[in-house]
Amino acid sequence: MRSDKMKKGLEKAPHRSLMYATGLIKEELDKPIIGVVNSANELIPGHVHLNQVTDAVKAGIRLAGGVPLEFPTIGVCDGIAMNHEGMKMSLPSRELIADSIEITATAHPFDGLVCVTNCDKIVPGMLMAMLRLNIPSLIISGGPMLAGHIKDKTVDLISVFEGVGRVKKGELSEAELKELELKACPGCGSCSGMFTANSMNCLSEAIGLALPGNGTIPAVFAERLRLAKYAGIKVMELIDKNIRPRDIVTLESVKNGIAVDMALGCSTNTVLHLPAVFREAGINIDLEIFDEISRITPNLCKLSPAGPYHIEDLYYAGGIYGVMSELDKKGLINKDCLTVTGKTVGENLVELDAKVLDHEVIKPIDSPHSNEGGIAILRGNLAPDGCVVKQSAVSPEMMKRTGTAKVFDSEEEAVAAILGGKIKKGDIVVIRYEGPKGGPGMREMLTPTSAIAGMGLDKDVALITDGRFSGGTRGAAIGHVSPEAQEGGPIAYVMDGDKILIDIPNRKIELLVDQEEFKKRKESIKIKEPEIKSKLLRRYAKLASSASKGAIFE
């Protein structure tokens, strides 16, 4: 056993003495030791209940003859960190989470690992660590939050963000916004739409690193705790069979994950996180694979913010394996891929009797919302290395548009202009110096996109940035523009009044400025030097790659 490194032999007497000091007994040291990473805290709604989930995992490990040893990691609530300097810390936390798990699980050589997670950067950080360590492991989420209800209408966190713009526009009273605040997020769990946390939890299942049900069983259901117990049992089986994460994550399972991503209409953040995760398995993917799979994979689901449904609806409609069963009808799923069940995707589909139970929530493969997937990769002279848009959440009117640039060098400046009524129909809001290096930290921009939507401009105004967006963003929100402004990308030289062409169907984004004028700008406009007080962010700005590479450390 791997744990023998710290507990077997004469020379390990001091090690055993220290382990006895924790309350362990000899009989426990004779069994497999399983690390259980618990990201519970009292700050994140998706994590406030994870102690209970972790206890269920540990119960499962004990049932199967193992000894669970729990340790923590950090987490950031992106919603609470939004629209202030705290959001600069969100994406960097992904690397810290992966590093902290690697440190703990190397210093204390466990035989297996179970990662208890739920929210935005914690999920990919844990997946990165699992693949980096490559010991028998699986991930279990705390499950999605239920949607809120006001009278006969379902609401969620995005309803509140957009409510701010609606108040400014006069469509909603402050008293109604207060009611929305109290009812949109009714309890624990990852926010209820197909936002980043739920996107990554669903894709963990599709890739094969989580058990069926991981992405969709609601947080408050007893079924979630039962799944956690099975996760504890299952890690012991993975140890017995010596099935490791890199046995599961292959190029074919990567393609399965991206196909499900496109069918679901997941967050654009998946285009940041999946390359970072797969790189830990030695699989380097670029933006092209997302676009290639998007072009052949129909969009089957319109979950919030793209449509009226929430994760609980996806759960009742058949879940992730229901979606995969539909994709399989067109040969879009590789059924030979291994999963943490110890069985292949195809065997799981049969054993689960996977099928779609509600074709309003999961459309039939022959009658999809669109013939292309939820995400599109655009290129052009404004983004030579590419940029990303959640096309499934873009209104038809905005799929092809030429607009007038209104340029801002920070998110705060843009939000003030939007809420101040300075953005008009036909404008394209450009926010720069918010990339991995320029932010630094590549902030999510849910506040400006929600303000645009809340003020009723989402069918008339686009937003382009070298930063990124929340999975809750809807509208013509184009992010990850690469190269970023801080690295001298073309977005650094856009000026107020410039015309910009957006053509999502043809994957184009063009700054309509002649080459001579653009050349003069490059010679006369200086790249801004960021003032970075944080030591952590200075390190991040130095090490982080382009968004087109997943903002990984190089």
Side-chain angles (χ1 to χ4, degrees):
M1 292 189 289
R2 186 172 181 266
S3 61
D4 288 350
K5 294 179 183 180
M6 62 179 173
K7 67 184 186 182
K8 290 288 186 182
L10 181 68
E11 70 279 10
K12 296 304 190 307
H15 304 62
R16 290 192 295 272
S17 182
L18 289 167
M19 297 175 82
Y20 290 145
T22 69
L24 290 172
I25 59 176
K26 179 185 180 301
E27 286 78 5
E28 288 176 302
L29 295 188
D30 290 335
K31 296 180 178 182
I33 306 292
I34 312 302
V36 182
V37 193
N38 181 5
S39 56
N41 62 51
E42 295 181 347
L43 293 164
I44 308 175
H47 290 237
V48 294
H49 64 305
L50 290 189
N51 284 332
Q52 189 179 13
V53 177
T54 299
D55 286 343
V57 168
K58 293 193 290 185
I61 291 169
R62 292 189 186 102
L63 279 169
V67 177
L69 294 180
E70 179 185 333
F71 65 95
T73 191
I74 63 166
V76 171
C77 177
D78 280 21
I80 295 172
M82 199 74 65
N83 193 228
H84 58 85
E85 67 275 10
M87 180 47 72
K88 293 177 183 286
M89 297 293 181
S90 175
L91 189 55
S93 76
R94 182 186 74 182
E95 317 306 316
L96 288 176
I97 290 162
D99 290 349
S100 71
I101 296 170
E102 179 189 11
I103 287 168
T104 304
T106 303
H108 312 91
F110 302 117
D111 297 301
L113 196 66
V114 179
C115 295
V116 185
T117 185
N118 220 16
C119 289
D120 295 26
K121 308 309 165 298
I122 302 95
V123 182
M126 288 188 172
L127 291 171
M128 289 165 67
M130 286 166 53
L131 286 159
R132 191 182 298 176
L133 290 161
N134 200 36
I135 60 176
S137 311
L138 74 163
I139 198 164
I140 171 78
S141 82
M145 184 186 293
L146 296 175
H149 289 267
I150 295 179
K151 297 178 181 176
D152 60 345
K153 183 180 180 183
T154 55
V155 292
D156 56 35
L157 180 65
I158 306 310
S159 309
V160 189
F161 270 97
E162 293 184 1
V164 176
R166 293 177 64 200
V167 169
K168 289 283 186 180
K169 192 182 178 186
E171 286 186 353
L172 197 71
S173 70
E174 290 193 28
E176 288 172 315
L177 181 61
K178 185 67 177 177
E179 182 184 17
L180 197 52
E181 282 181 46
L182 292 170
K183 294 184 177 178
C185 299
C188 66
S190 47
C191 296
S192 58
M194 189 51 77
F195 314 145
T196 304
N198 290 324
S199 295
M200 291 305 300
N201 284 327
C202 289
L203 297 187
S204 299
E205 186 178 333
I207 294 161
L209 292 175
L211 294 174
N214 181 72
T216 59
I217 298 169
V220 295
F221 283 18
E223 188 180 354
R224 173 60 55 180
L225 297 180
R226 295 199 297 271
L227 188 72
K229 287 182 182 177
Y230 282 123
I233 293 170
K234 192 58 65 175
V235 73
M236 299 301 293
E237 292 180 18
L238 295 175
I239 291 168
D240 287 342
K241 296 176 181 178
N242 195 27
I243 296 174
R244 302 170 182 237
R246 291 185 208 165
D247 298 323
I248 291 168
V249 175
T250 64
L251 184 57
E252 292 307 318
S253 66
V254 167
K255 290 178 179 179
N256 280 352
I258 296 174
V260 172
D261 187 346
M262 297 305 157
L264 291 172
C266 288
S267 165
T268 52
N269 280 315
T270 60
V271 180
L272 275 180
H273 297 322
L274 293 181
V277 170
F278 299 143
R279 182 173 181 260
E280 300 291 349
I283 301 171
N284 293 313
I285 63 171
D286 57 22
L287 296 182
E288 292 308 316
I289 193 171
F290 288 92
D291 208 51
E292 288 169 8
I293 294 175
S294 178
R295 288 183 182 276
I296 62 171
T297 307
N299 177 224
L300 304 181
C301 302
K302 289 280 190 183
L303 302 163
S304 178
Y309 299 112
H310 292 83
I311 304 299
E312 65 203 75
D313 300 305
L314 181 60
Y315 164 76
Y316 286 117
I320 300 309
Y321 269 84
V323 172
M324 293 173 80
S325 73
E326 203 65 28
L327 292 175
D328 183 49
K329 293 176 181 177
K330 287 285 180 75
L332 296 170
I333 293 294
N334 187 310
K335 293 188 289 188
D336 294 330
C337 293
L338 185 63
T339 74
V340 290
T341 65
K343 300 174 182 177
T344 65
V345 169
E347 289 170 330
N348 289 342
L349 285 166
V350 171
E351 186 170 301
L352 295 165
D353 189 24
K355 56 180 174 290
V356 175
L357 304 175
D358 186 340
H359 276 300
E360 287 302 309
V361 178
I362 305 171
K363 288 290 186 183
I365 194 77
D366 293 323
S367 182
H369 290 289
S370 64
N371 290 322
E372 291 189 356
I375 290 174
I377 307 300
L378 313 184
R379 293 183 186 272
N381 65 4
L382 188 55
D385 293 341
C387 56
V388 183
V389 62
K390 187 173 182 174
Q391 63 176 341
S392 60
V394 178
S395 63
E397 298 93 329
M398 293 300 293
M399 293 295 284
K400 189 171 183 178
R401 176 66 63 100
T402 299
T404 304
K406 292 287 182 71
V407 184
F408 305 93
D409 287 346
S410 73
E411 177 188 3
E412 287 84 356
E413 293 174 20
V415 171
I418 295 164
L419 294 178
K422 296 179 180 179
I423 303 301
K424 308 298 181 186
K425 291 182 178 182
D427 286 344
I428 294 179
V429 176
V430 178
I431 306 177
R432 61 193 177 193
Y433 294 104
E434 291 285 7
K437 294 182 182 294
M442 200 180 185
R443 289 192 288 180
E444 281 188 350
M445 306 219 182
L446 181 55
T447 299
T449 59
S450 296
I452 288 170
M455 297 185 77
L457 294 171
D458 56 299
K459 295 181 180 179
D460 299 287
V461 171
L463 193 154
I464 297 171
T465 181
D466 54 7
R468 62 193 179 91
F469 298 112
S470 163
T473 287
R474 65 183 174 96
I478 299 166
H480 309 193
V481 169
S482 299
E484 63 176 291
Q486 191 62 49
E487 293 193 299
I491 193 172
Y493 307 106
V494 181
M495 299 180 70
D496 282 346
D498 286 349
K499 297 295 183 182
I500 297 174
L501 167 69
I502 298 168
D503 186 348
I504 295 172
N506 291 306
R507 306 297 199 261
K508 290 182 180 179
I509 184 164
E510 297 284 342
L511 177 64
L512 303 179
V513 172
D514 69 64
Q515 290 184 350
E516 282 302 312
E517 167 63 19
F518 190 77
K519 185 179 178 181
K520 289 177 184 177
R521 292 184 189 181
K522 289 192 74 171
E523 292 170 353
S524 61
I525 297 174
K526 291 184 178 180
I527 300 298
K528 293 189 174 184
E529 288 299 322
E531 295 182 11
I532 311 173
K533 296 179 182 179
S534 164
K535 290 182 180 179
L536 183 146
L537 291 177
R538 283 204 297 271
R539 184 168 75 245
Y540 186 83
K542 184 176 181 179
L543 296 175
S545 74
S546 165
S548 63
K549 297 179 181 179
I552 56 174
F553 277 4
E554 292 187 319

